[in-house]
Amino acid sequence: MARIETDKVLLETYSYDATGREQLPKGVAFPESEEEVREIVSLCRTKNLKITPRGAGTGFAGGSVPSPNSIVVSTERMDKIVDIDDKNLLALVEPGVVTAHLQKTASEFGLMYPPDPSSLESCTVGGNVATNAGGPKAVKYGVTADYVTGLSAVIGTSEVYQDLSPVRKNVVGLNVTPLFVGSEGTLGIITKVLLKLVPKPETRKLLLAHFRNLEDAGQAVWDIMKSPATPSALEIMDSTSIECVRKYRKLDIPKDIEGILLIELDGTKREVKESIDKIKEILKRYNASLEIASNQKEEDHIWSLRRAISPSLMEIAPTKINEDVTVPVSELSNALRAYKNVGKKYGLPVVCFGHAGDGNIHVNIMTDRNDPKLWKRGIKAAREIFIITVALNGVLSGEHGIGLAKKSYLGLQINEEQRNLYKRIKLCFDPDMILNPKKKF
Ligand SMILES: Cc1cc2nc3c(=O)[nH]c(=O)nc-3n(C[C@H](O)[C@H](O)[C@H](O)COP(=O)(O)OP(=O)(O)OC[C@H]3O[C@@H](n4cnc5c(N)ncnc54)[C@H](O)[C@@H]3O)c2cc1C
């Protein structure tokens, strides 16, 4: 059985996630097999201890922040790629496999695992499944849920739910697997995942378009999504993101640019060429200028600009309230205008960037947790952003999840009857409410 460690430094190390929220656990366990996970769950159930499943702790919702009186179950030692089945285009992996490692391994077989959260060098497949993580490629390839074809998980009774048939179609029994996807560790500890892989595209091109007006950039996203061009990434950066990144990276972008679109296209050479032609036509309508990366080095540079936004925001203010709302793409332009206006109303910078092609925008309210007045304004601004989003038929979170961070806003989107149904479903998997209690709903 995996030992439950209680060393003080270790407890502190596992007390927080990327939100910065903290709670000391009672202990940390590092199981190396499904059997060990079962034993830990059984022990916690007997001793009335709670359980906090944990991948790499990169979550932005507080999901892996320990619940009070809980044991953290870290999957970091369950990190094997059990099999790459290149005949059936499947990968069987343990939950602690780091996403980038899976991508590199699939690539050695001429295959691709598309879900690409920006944290992919450190986050785990288990965490991705539990949060239904997305990334830039979701606009063409979909999110983690679109790749989970089966899984194994230990539920709150210490029983194992397993569905690992390597088939493309299966209507036997109830389709329970999707319930675990996005469940944020509230229904079970995922111990194995069977994932779909796809063939690598023949070619890829990366484009960068500059707009003098942010709303035009938002409108162009909608035009691109309605056109036959199918981008494999369509990301937006507003002027504040651009200025923050400029402090860290060489940027040949004029000062009066209000919005940038980063557009990636992949497929056959002919498909990519036709898509570029379509996109050029659309950009002309907005007088947007266009650069096309001519080699891998230029592509890497452009992607590094996008990835530099999040860390560079600390230049503006010490604390960011980082929301990942999603609106219908047709409302993107309206949403961007409204979010920026919230910033003006509360006198706080509101930085917008992210997965525009999906309507999934990272809205960052820049404030200071240690200044009570600024912090209060930040919280009010966040609430207003959620209200605007729901009014535009959007949702509170497109990828980070609810965890602890957004739980108090859930009522803006989900009614009481729906929440009661979620609770009854949870009780089927976790009758003693030991798995990540009081999170998600
Ligand atoms: C710089 C940065 C960029 C990011 N970019 C993106 C992005 O582009 N897209 C995106 O979707 N997210 C992004 N995130 C958020 C985060 O990386 C994802 O939510 C990721 O899926 C979390 O994986 P993790 O292994 O770190 O899980 P953790 O943070 O450890 O856990 C996340 C949740 O999953 C649960 N969990 C973890 N493992 C298991 C398991 N085996 N069984 C059951 N439950 C489990 C935890 O209890 C928790 O509720 C980003 C985060 C950072 C810091």
Side-chain angles (χ1 to χ4, degrees), residues 1 84 102 112 114 138 151 167 181 184 188 253 284 376 413 431:
M1 155 131 176
I84 299 279
L102 171 61
M112 178 163 84
L151 55 73
V167 292
V181 183
E184 298 181 40
I253 294 170
K284 229 188 228 170
K376 209 169 157 191
Q413 193 186 320

Side-chain angles (χ1 to χ4, degrees), residues 17-18 52-65 73 75 95-96 99 116-120 122-136 144 180 183-186 188-191 306-307 310-311 320 322 324 355 360 362 398-401 403 436 439:
D17 71 356
T52 307
R54 183 181 175 99
T58 67
F60 271 144
S64 59
V65 175
V73 177
T75 60
T99 312
D116 58 345
S118 303
S119 51
L120 59 85
S122 43
C123 64
T124 65
V125 170
N128 294 170
V129 175
T131 56
N132 192 11
T144 304
F180 287 96
S183 65
E184 298 181 40
T186 59
I189 303 176
I190 297 156
T191 48
R306 165 66 183 87
R307 297 205 173 103
S310 205
K320 62 175 176 184
N322 169 10
D324 67 317
H355 317 308
N360 180 198
H362 295 296
E399 48 183 32
H400 298 158
N436 244 354
K439 292 188 188 161

Side-chain angles (χ1 to χ4, degrees), residues 11 22 111 211 219 229 250 278 324 386 395 414:
L11 297 187
E22 286 178 58
L111 298 170
F211 294 78
Q219 202 63 35
K250 189 175 163 299
K278 290 271 165 336
D324 67 317
F386 288 137
V395 297
I414 306 283

